[in-house]
């Protein structure tokens, strides 16, 4: 089944919302079931959404470590929950999927244009760009 780009963009927005909610639950030490959070946000049972959400959750520690390396004097936990969700998704797509890097970066930037302020959008863009250019080193490490 082929998914059109607009649909994928909408699904990424749902993934961001799901990851945002999970981050809020985690920070507040609230119990949650990932599948229930997914169902709250989207009535469509979609493999793409599950791949992104479960992938980010599975690789969260590695993703955060990589993000912190490239955040220049910041750490990912200092960002807002929405910004964290966008950055983690972008890093996951760059490093753990077959999605073309330019698509992963552009999709993250498009979400950041809507949901983040300009300085955070630039920071997300910079981090993803550095990760893209250092991908071989990151995957080897």
């Amino acid at each position: 089944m082929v998914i059109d780009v607009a649909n994928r963009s909408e699904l990424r927005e749902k993934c961001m919302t799901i990851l945002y909610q999970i981050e809020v639950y985690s920070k507040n030490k609230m119990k949650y079931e990932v599948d229930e959070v997914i169902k709250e946000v989207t009535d469509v049972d979609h493999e793409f959404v599950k791949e992104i959400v479960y992938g980010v959750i599975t690789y969260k520690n590695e993703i955060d470590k990589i993000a912190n390396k490239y955040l220049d004097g910041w750490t990912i936990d200092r960002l807002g929950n929405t910004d964290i969700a966008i950055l983690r998704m972008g890093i996951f797509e760059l490093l753990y999927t077959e999605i073309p890097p330019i698509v992963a970066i552009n999709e993250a930037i498009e979400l950041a244009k809507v949901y983040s302020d300009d300085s955070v959008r630039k920071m997300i863009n910079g981090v993803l760009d550095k990760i893209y250019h250092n991908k071989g080193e990151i995957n080897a490490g």
Side-chain angles (χ1 to χ4, degrees):
M1 178 175 128
V2 176
I3 300 170
D4 67 47
V5 175
N7 192 13
R8 277 249 169 136
S9 295
E10 291 168 17
L11 292 173
R12 279 187 181 87
E13 191 169 12
K14 292 185 183 307
C15 292
M16 180 204 67
T17 303
I18 293 161
L19 292 167
Y20 166 87
Q21 285 186 267
I22 288 171
E23 185 67 13
V24 169
Y25 292 151
S26 295
K27 283 182 175 176
N28 290 299
K29 298 182 179 13
M30 296 168 62
K31 289 185 194 271
Y32 62 89
E33 291 291 328
V34 175
D35 287 333
E36 291 303 314
V37 179
I38 291 171
K39 282 180 193 158
E40 285 173 24
V41 173
T42 180
D43 50 4
V44 180
D45 185 24
H46 207 285
E47 281 309 308
F48 180 75
V49 171
K50 288 183 178 178
E51 177 189 359
I52 299 292
V53 171
Y54 277 100
V56 169
I57 292 167
T58 300
Y59 295 104
K60 180 180 170 281
N61 292 339
E62 292 91 334
I63 289 169
D64 286 3
K65 202 178 294 179
I66 292 163
N68 289 339
K69 178 177 178 180
Y70 293 102
L71 271 167
D72 289 336
W74 277 67
T75 56
I76 195 166
D77 58 351
R78 287 181 62 195
L79 298 174
N81 293 332
T82 304
D83 306 321
I84 290 171
I86 295 168
L87 185 56
R88 283 180 181 153
M89 266 177 31
I91 294 171
F92 173 75
E93 287 193 72
L94 267 177
L95 298 179
Y96 300 98
T97 71
E98 298 298 314
I99 293 165
I102 192 73
V103 173
I105 293 169
N106 284 342
E107 290 287 335
I109 298 312
E110 289 305 311
L111 285 170
K113 281 181 184 175
V114 176
Y115 293 99
S116 303
D117 69 32
D118 206 41
S119 62
V120 174
R121 180 190 55 78
K122 287 177 183 168
M123 184 186 298
I124 289 171
N125 187 23
V127 169
L128 294 177
D129 187 59
K130 288 179 202 167
I131 290 170
Y132 169 67
H133 285 87
N134 293 289
K135 194 173 173 180
E137 172 192 317
I138 291 167
N139 288 337

